[in-house]
Coordinates of all heavy atoms in Angstrom, one line a residue:
A1029 N -91.5 -58.7 65.6 CA -90.9 -57.5 66.2 C -90.3 -56.6 65.3 O -89.8 -57.1 64.2 CB -89.7 -58.2 67.1
L1030 N -90.2 -55.4 65.6 CA -89.7 -54.4 64.7 C -88.2 -54.5 64.8 O -87.6 -54.9 65.9 CB -90.2 -53.0 65.1 CG -91.6 -52.8 65.1 CD1 -92.0 -51.3 65.6 CD2 -92.1 -52.8 63.7
G1031 N -87.5 -54.1 63.8 CA -86.0 -54.1 63.7 C -85.5 -52.7 63.2 O -86.3 -52.0 62.6
F1032 N -84.2 -52.5 63.3 CA -83.7 -51.3 62.7 C -82.2 -51.6 62.5 O -81.7 -52.6 62.9 CB -83.8 -50.1 63.6 CG -83.1 -50.2 65.0 CD1 -81.9 -49.6 65.1 CD2 -83.6 -50.9 66.0 CE1 -81.2 -49.7 66.3 CE2 -83.1 -50.9 67.3 CZ -81.7 -50.3 67.3
G1033 N -81.4 -50.7 62.0 CA -80.1 -50.8 61.6 C -79.2 -50.4 62.8 O -79.7 -49.6 63.6
L1034 N -78.0 -50.9 62.9 CA -77.1 -50.6 63.9 C -75.8 -50.3 63.2 O -75.3 -51.2 62.5 CB -77.0 -51.8 65.0 CG -76.1 -51.7 66.1 CD1 -76.5 -50.6 67.0 CD2 -76.0 -53.0 66.8
Q1035 N -75.1 -49.2 63.5 CA -73.9 -48.9 62.9 C -72.9 -48.3 64.0 O -73.4 -47.3 64.6 CB -74.0 -47.9 61.7 CG -72.7 -47.6 61.1 CD -72.8 -46.7 59.9 OE1 -74.0 -46.7 59.3 NE2 -71.8 -46.0 59.5
L1036 N -71.8 -48.9 64.2 CA -70.8 -48.4 65.2 C -69.4 -48.6 64.8 O -69.3 -49.2 63.7 CB -71.0 -49.3 66.5 CG -72.4 -49.3 67.2 CD1 -72.4 -50.3 68.3 CD2 -72.6 -47.8 67.9
D1037 N -68.5 -48.0 65.4 CA -67.1 -48.1 65.2 C -66.6 -49.3 66.2 O -67.2 -49.3 67.4 CB -66.3 -46.9 65.4 CG -66.7 -45.8 64.4 OD1 -67.2 -46.1 63.4 OD2 -66.5 -44.6 64.9
T1038 N -65.6 -49.9 65.7 CA -65.0 -50.9 66.7 C -63.5 -50.2 67.0 O -62.9 -49.7 66.1 CB -64.8 -52.3 66.2 OG1 -64.1 -52.3 64.9 CG2 -66.2 -52.9 66.0
E1039 N -63.1 -50.5 68.1 CA -61.7 -50.1 68.5 C -60.9 -51.1 69.2 O -61.6 -51.8 70.2 CB -61.8 -48.8 69.3 CG -62.5 -47.7 68.6 CD -62.5 -46.4 69.4 OE1 -62.0 -46.3 70.5 OE2 -62.9 -45.3 68.8
A1040 N -59.8 -51.2 68.8 CA -58.9 -52.2 69.6 C -58.4 -51.4 70.9 O -58.8 -50.3 71.2 CB -57.6 -52.4 68.8
D1041 N -57.6 -52.1 71.7 CA -57.2 -51.6 73.0 C -56.4 -50.3 72.8 O -56.2 -49.6 73.8 CB -56.4 -52.6 73.8 CG -57.2 -53.7 74.3 OD1 -58.4 -53.7 74.4 OD2 -56.6 -54.9 74.3
T1042 N -55.9 -50.1 71.7 CA -55.1 -48.8 71.5 C -56.0 -47.7 71.0 O -55.5 -46.6 70.8 CB -54.2 -49.2 70.3 OG1 -54.9 -49.4 69.0 CG2 -53.1 -50.3 70.6
D1043 N -57.3 -47.9 71.1 CA -58.3 -46.8 70.5 C -58.1 -46.5 69.0 O -58.6 -45.5 68.6 CB -58.1 -45.5 71.3 CG -58.6 -45.6 72.8 OD1 -59.4 -46.5 73.0 OD2 -58.1 -44.9 73.6
A1044 N -57.5 -47.4 68.4 CA -57.3 -47.2 66.9 C -58.5 -48.1 66.3 O -58.9 -49.1 66.8 CB -56.0 -47.7 66.4
P1045 N -59.0 -47.7 65.1 CA -60.1 -48.5 64.5 C -59.4 -49.8 64.2 O -58.3 -50.0 63.8 CB -60.3 -47.7 63.2 CG -59.9 -46.4 63.5 CD -58.7 -46.4 64.4
L1046 N -60.3 -50.8 64.2 CA -60.0 -52.2 64.0 C -60.6 -52.7 62.7 O -61.8 -53.0 62.6 CB -60.4 -53.1 65.2 CG -59.9 -54.5 65.2 CD1 -58.5 -54.7 65.1 CD2 -60.4 -55.2 66.5
A1047 N -59.9 -52.6 61.7 CA -60.4 -53.0 60.3 C -60.3 -54.5 60.2 O -59.4 -55.1 60.7 CB -59.5 -52.4 59.3
G1048 N -61.3 -55.1 59.4 CA -61.2 -56.6 59.1 C -61.7 -57.4 60.3 O -61.6 -58.7 60.2
A1049 N -62.3 -56.8 61.3 CA -62.8 -57.7 62.4 C -64.3 -58.2 62.0 O -64.9 -57.6 61.2 CB -63.0 -56.8 63.7
T1050 N -64.5 -59.4 62.5 CA -65.8 -60.0 62.3 C -66.8 -59.6 63.4 O -66.5 -59.7 64.6 CB -65.7 -61.6 62.2 OG1 -64.9 -61.8 61.1 CG2 -67.0 -62.2 61.9
V1051 N -68.0 -59.3 63.0 CA -69.1 -58.9 63.9 C -70.3 -59.8 63.7 O -70.7 -59.9 62.6 CB -69.5 -57.4 63.9 CG1 -70.6 -57.1 64.8 CG2 -68.3 -56.4 63.9
R1052 N -70.7 -60.6 64.7 CA -71.7 -61.6 64.5 C -72.9 -61.4 65.4 O -72.6 -61.2 66.7 CB -71.1 -62.9 64.8 CG -72.1 -64.1 64.5 CD -71.4 -65.4 64.7 NE -70.3 -65.6 63.8 CZ -69.0 -65.8 64.2 NH1 -68.7 -65.8 65.4 NH2 -68.0 -65.9 63.3
L1053 N -74.0 -61.3 64.9 CA -75.3 -61.2 65.6 C -75.8 -62.7 65.7 O -75.9 -63.3 64.6 CB -76.3 -60.3 64.9 CG -77.7 -60.2 65.5 CD1 -77.7 -59.7 66.9 CD2 -78.5 -59.3 64.6
T1054 N -76.2 -63.2 66.8 CA -76.5 -64.6 67.0 C -78.0 -64.8 66.4 O -78.2 -65.9 65.7 CB -76.4 -65.1 68.3 OG1 -77.1 -64.2 69.3 CG2 -75.0 -65.2 68.7
S1055 N -79.0 -64.0 66.6 CA -80.3 -64.3 66.2 C -81.0 -63.0 65.7 O -81.2 -62.1 66.6 CB -81.1 -64.9 67.3 OG -82.3 -65.2 66.9
P1056 N -81.3 -62.8 64.5 CA -81.1 -63.7 63.4 C -79.6 -63.9 63.1 O -78.9 -62.8 63.3 CB -81.8 -63.1 62.2 CG -81.8 -61.7 62.5 CD -81.9 -61.5 63.9
A1057 N -79.1 -65.0 62.5 CA -77.7 -65.1 62.2 C -77.3 -64.2 61.1 O -77.6 -64.4 60.0 CB -77.4 -66.6 61.9
V1058 N -76.4 -63.2 61.5 CA -75.9 -62.3 60.6 C -74.4 -62.0 60.9 O -74.0 -61.9 62.1 CB -76.6 -60.9 60.6 CG1 -76.0 -59.9 59.6 CG2 -78.1 -61.0 60.3
T1059 N -73.6 -62.0 59.9 CA -72.2 -61.8 60.1 C -71.6 -60.8 59.1 O -72.0 -60.8 58.0 CB -71.3 -63.1 59.9 OG1 -71.8 -64.2 60.8 CG2 -69.9 -62.9 60.1
V1060 N -70.9 -59.8 59.7 CA -70.4 -58.7 58.8 C -69.0 -58.4 59.2 O -68.5 -58.8 60.2 CB -71.2 -57.4 58.9 CG1 -72.7 -57.6 58.4 CG2 -71.2 -56.8 60.3
Q1061 N -68.2 -57.8 58.3 CA -66.9 -57.4 58.5 C -66.8 -55.9 58.7 O -67.4 -55.2 58.0 CB -66.0 -57.8 57.4 CG -65.9 -59.3 57.0 CD -65.1 -60.0 58.1 OE1 -65.6 -61.0 58.7 NE2 -63.8 -59.7 58.3
T1062 N -65.8 -55.4 59.6 CA -65.6 -54.0 59.7 C -64.8 -53.5 58.4 O -64.1 -54.3 57.9 CB -64.8 -53.7 60.9 OG1 -63.6 -54.4 61.0 CG2 -65.6 -54.1 62.3
D1063 N -65.1 -52.3 58.1 CA -64.4 -51.7 57.1 C -63.0 -51.1 57.4 O -62.5 -51.3 58.6 CB -65.3 -50.7 56.3 CG -65.5 -49.4 57.2 OD1 -64.8 -49.2 58.2 OD2 -66.4 -48.6 56.8
G1064 N -62.4 -50.4 56.5 CA -61.1 -49.9 56.8 C -61.0 -48.9 58.0 O -59.9 -48.7 58.5
D1065 N -62.2 -48.4 58.3 CA -62.2 -47.4 59.4 C -62.8 -48.0 60.6 O -63.0 -47.4 61.7 CB -63.2 -46.2 59.0 CG -62.6 -45.4 57.9 OD1 -61.4 -45.1 57.9 OD2 -63.4 -44.9 57.1
G1066 N -62.9 -49.4 60.7 CA -63.5 -50.2 61.8 C -64.9 -50.0 62.0 O -65.4 -50.4 63.1
R1067 N -65.6 -49.6 61.0 CA -67.0 -49.4 61.1 C -67.7 -50.7 60.6 O -67.3 -51.3 59.6 CB -67.5 -48.1 60.3 CG -67.0 -46.9 61.0 CD -67.7 -45.7 60.3 NE -67.2 -44.5 61.1 CZ -66.6 -43.5 60.5 NH1 -66.4 -43.5 59.2 NH2 -66.2 -42.4 61.2
Y1068 N -68.9 -50.9 61.1 CA -69.8 -51.9 60.6 C -71.2 -51.6 60.5 O -71.5 -50.5 61.3 CB -69.6 -53.3 61.3 CG -70.0 -53.2 62.8 CD1 -71.3 -53.6 63.2 CD2 -69.1 -52.8 63.7 CE1 -71.7 -53.5 64.4 CE2 -69.5 -52.7 65.0 CZ -70.8 -52.9 65.4 OH -71.1 -52.9 66.7
Q1069 N -72.1 -52.2 59.9 CA -73.5 -51.9 59.9 C -74.3 -53.2 59.8 O -74.0 -54.1 59.1 CB -73.9 -51.1 58.6 CG -75.2 -50.6 58.6 CD -75.6 -49.7 57.5 OE1 -74.9 -49.5 56.5 NE2 -76.7 -48.9 57.6
L1070 N -75.2 -53.2 60.7 CA -76.2 -54.4 60.7 C -77.5 -53.9 60.5 O -78.0 -52.9 61.2 CB -76.2 -55.1 62.2 CG -74.8 -55.8 62.5 CD1 -74.9 -56.1 64.0 CD2 -74.7 -57.1 61.7
L1071 N -78.3 -54.5 59.6 CA -79.6 -54.1 59.2 C -80.6 -55.1 59.8 O -80.3 -56.2 60.0 CB -79.8 -53.9 57.8 CG -78.9 -53.0 57.1 CD1 -79.1 -53.0 55.6 CD2 -79.2 -51.6 57.5
Q1072 N -81.9 -54.7 60.1 CA -82.9 -55.5 60.6 C -82.5 -56.2 61.9 O -82.7 -57.4 62.1 CB -83.3 -56.6 59.5 CG -83.8 -56.0 58.2 CD -85.1 -55.2 58.4 OE1 -85.9 -55.5 59.1 NE2 -85.1 -54.0 57.7
V1073 N -81.9 -55.3 62.8 CA -81.7 -55.8 64.2 C -82.9 -55.9 64.9 O -83.8 -55.0 65.0 CB -80.7 -54.8 64.8 CG1 -80.4 -55.3 66.3 CG2 -79.4 -54.6 64.1
P1074 N -83.2 -57.1 65.5 CA -84.5 -57.3 66.3 C -84.6 -56.6 67.5 O -83.5 -56.3 68.2 CB -84.5 -58.8 66.5 CG -83.1 -59.2 66.6 CD -82.3 -58.3 65.6
V1075 N -85.8 -56.2 68.0 CA -86.0 -55.5 69.2 C -85.8 -56.6 70.3 O -86.3 -57.7 70.1 CB -87.5 -54.9 69.3 CG1 -87.8 -54.4 70.6 CG2 -87.5 -53.8 68.3
G1076 N -85.3 -56.2 71.5 CA -85.1 -57.2 72.5 C -83.6 -57.4 72.9 O -82.9 -56.5 72.6
N1077 N -83.3 -58.4 73.7 CA -82.0 -58.7 74.0 C -81.2 -59.5 73.0 O -81.6 -60.4 72.4 CB -82.0 -59.6 75.2 CG -82.7 -58.9 76.4 OD1 -82.4 -57.6 76.7 ND2 -83.4 -59.5 77.2
I1078 N -80.0 -58.9 72.6 CA -79.2 -59.6 71.5 C -77.8 -59.6 72.1 O -77.4 -59.0 73.2 CB -79.2 -58.7 70.2 CG1 -78.6 -57.4 70.4 CG2 -80.6 -58.6 69.7 CD1 -78.3 -56.6 69.1
E1079 N -77.0 -60.3 71.5 CA -75.5 -60.4 71.6 C -74.7 -60.2 70.4 O -75.1 -60.8 69.4 CB -75.1 -61.8 72.3 CG -75.5 -62.0 73.7 CD -74.9 -63.3 74.3 OE1 -74.5 -64.2 73.5 OE2 -75.0 -63.4 75.4
L1080 N -73.8 -59.4 70.4 CA -72.9 -59.2 69.3 C -71.5 -59.9 69.8 O -71.0 -59.6 70.9 CB -72.6 -57.7 69.1 CG -73.8 -56.9 68.5 CD1 -73.5 -55.5 68.2 CD2 -74.3 -57.5 67.2
T1081 N -71.0 -60.6 68.8 CA -69.7 -61.2 69.1 C -68.7 -60.6 68.1 O -68.8 -60.6 66.9 CB -69.8 -62.8 68.8 OG1 -70.8 -63.3 69.7 CG2 -68.4 -63.5 69.1
F1082 N -67.6 -60.2 68.7 CA -66.5 -59.5 67.8 C -65.3 -60.4 67.9 O -64.8 -60.8 69.0 CB -66.1 -58.1 68.5 CG -67.2 -57.2 68.5 CD1 -68.2 -57.1 69.5 CD2 -67.3 -56.2 67.4 CE1 -69.2 -56.2 69.5 CE2 -68.4 -55.3 67.5 CZ -69.3 -55.3 68.4
T1083 N -64.7 -60.7 66.7 CA -63.5 -61.6 66.6 C -62.5 -60.9 65.6 O -63.0 -60.3 64.6 CB -63.8 -63.0 66.2 OG1 -64.4 -62.9 65.0 CG2 -64.6 -63.8 67.2
A1084 N -61.3 -61.0 65.9 CA -60.3 -60.5 65.0 C -59.0 -61.2 65.3 O -58.7 -61.6 66.5 CB -60.1 -59.0 65.2
T1085 N -58.2 -61.6 64.3 CA -56.9 -62.2 64.5 C -56.1 -61.4 65.4 O -55.9 -60.2 65.2 CB -56.2 -62.3 63.1 OG1 -57.2 -63.2 62.2 CG2 -54.9 -63.2 63.2
G1086 N -55.5 -62.1 66.4 CA -54.6 -61.5 67.4 C -55.3 -60.8 68.5 O -54.6 -60.2 69.3
Y1087 N -56.5 -60.9 68.6 CA -57.4 -60.2 69.7 C -58.2 -61.3 70.3 O -58.6 -62.2 69.7 CB -58.3 -59.0 69.2 CG -57.5 -57.9 68.6 CD1 -57.0 -57.9 67.2 CD2 -57.1 -56.9 69.5 CE1 -56.3 -56.8 66.8 CE2 -56.3 -55.9 69.0 CZ -55.9 -55.8 67.6 OH -55.2 -54.7 67.2
S1088 N -58.6 -61.1 71.6 CA -59.5 -62.0 72.3 C -60.9 -61.7 71.7 O -61.2 -60.5 71.4 CB -59.5 -61.7 73.8 OG -58.2 -61.9 74.3
T1089 N -61.8 -62.7 71.7 CA -63.1 -62.6 71.4 C -63.8 -61.7 72.4 O -63.5 -61.9 73.6 CB -63.7 -63.9 71.2 OG1 -63.1 -64.7 70.1 CG2 -65.3 -63.9 70.9
R1090 N -64.8 -60.8 71.9 CA -65.5 -60.1 72.9 C -66.9 -60.3 72.5 O -67.4 -60.1 71.4 CB -65.1 -58.6 72.8 CG -66.0 -57.7 73.8 CD -65.4 -56.3 73.8 NE -64.1 -56.4 74.5 CZ -63.3 -55.4 74.6 NH1 -63.7 -54.2 74.1 NH2 -62.1 -55.5 75.1
I1091 N -67.8 -60.6 73.5 CA -69.3 -60.8 73.4 C -69.9 -59.6 74.1 O -69.6 -59.3 75.4 CB -69.7 -62.1 74.0 CG1 -69.1 -63.2 73.2 CG2 -71.2 -62.2 73.9 CD1 -69.3 -64.6 73.7
V1092 N -70.7 -58.8 73.5 CA -71.3 -57.7 74.1 C -72.9 -57.9 74.1 O -73.5 -57.9 73.0 CB -71.0 -56.4 73.2 CG1 -71.6 -55.1 73.7 CG2 -69.5 -56.2 73.2
P1093 N -73.4 -57.9 75.2 CA -74.9 -58.1 75.3 C -75.5 -56.6 75.2 O -75.0 -55.7 75.7 CB -75.3 -58.7 76.7 CG -74.0 -58.3 77.6 CD -72.9 -58.2 76.5
L1094 N -76.5 -56.5 74.4 CA -77.3 -55.2 74.2 C -78.8 -55.5 74.3 O -79.3 -56.5 74.0 CB -77.0 -54.7 72.8 CG -75.7 -54.3 72.5 CD1 -75.5 -54.0 71.0 CD2 -75.2 -53.1 73.3
T1095 N -79.5 -54.5 74.8 CA -80.9 -54.5 74.8 C -81.4 -53.4 73.8 O -81.1 -52.3 73.9 CB -81.6 -54.2 76.1 OG1 -81.1 -55.2 77.1 CG2 -83.0 -54.2 76.1
I1096 N -82.1 -53.9 72.7 CA -82.7 -52.9 71.7 C -84.1 -52.6 72.0 O -85.0 -53.6 72.1 CB -82.6 -53.6 70.3 CG1 -81.1 -54.0 70.0 CG2 -83.0 -52.6 69.2 CD1 -80.1 -53.0 70.1
A1097 N -84.4 -51.4 72.3 CA -85.7 -51.0 72.6 C -86.5 -50.5 71.3 O -85.9 -50.1 70.4 CB -85.8 -49.8 73.5
P1098 N -87.9 -50.7 71.3 CA -88.6 -50.3 70.1 C -88.6 -48.9 70.0 O -88.5 -48.1 71.0 CB -90.0 -50.9 70.4 CG -90.1 -51.2 71.8 CD -88.6 -51.3 72.3
R1099 N -88.6 -48.4 68.8 CA -88.8 -47.0 68.5 C -90.1 -46.4 68.9 O -91.1 -47.1 68.8 CB -88.6 -46.5 67.1 CG -87.1 -46.8 66.7 CD -87.0 -46.4 65.2 NE -85.6 -46.5 64.8 CZ -85.1 -46.1 63.6 NH1 -85.9 -45.6 62.7 NH2 -84.0 -46.4 63.4
S1100 N -90.1 -45.3 69.6 CA -91.5 -44.8 69.9 C -91.9 -43.5 69.1 O -91.2 -43.0 68.3 CB -91.4 -44.4 71.4 OG -90.4 -43.5 71.7

């Protein structure tokens, strides 16, 4: 399957960037940390259905299902 990079900002309930959060892609297993601006980047994201798990101290874990379509 083809893959591509994914880069987004994370925000807490206050709409402020959430620095130092953990972002986990389950398959393939990849874990990254958000930077000081709450941004993260995942490379080689597979096409298809994926789940991103966001965790940060003092916040509830959030699981976000996404469908990644192939580039045309």
Side-chain angles (χ1 to χ4, degrees):
L1030 298 175
F1032 67 96
L1034 180 64
Q1035 180 175 340
L1036 300 169
D1037 297 339
T1038 57
E1039 296 183 355
D1041 293 333
T1042 62
D1043 289 333
L1046 187 55
T1050 299
V1051 181
R1052 184 174 303 116
L1053 174 64
T1054 50
S1055 181
V1058 177
T1059 301
V1060 297
Q1061 297 288 123
T1062 60
D1063 66 14
D1065 294 322
R1067 294 188 175 124
Y1068 64 93
Q1069 184 174 19
L1070 294 168
L1071 301 176
Q1072 301 301 317
V1073 176
V1075 171
N1077 296 322
I1078 65 168
E1079 284 187 347
L1080 293 180
T1081 302
F1082 297 86
T1083 57
T1085 302
Y1087 293 89
S1088 298
T1089 297
R1090 182 169 294 175
I1091 299 172
V1092 179
L1094 297 171
T1095 299
I1096 306 299
R1099 292 184 178 183
S1100 51

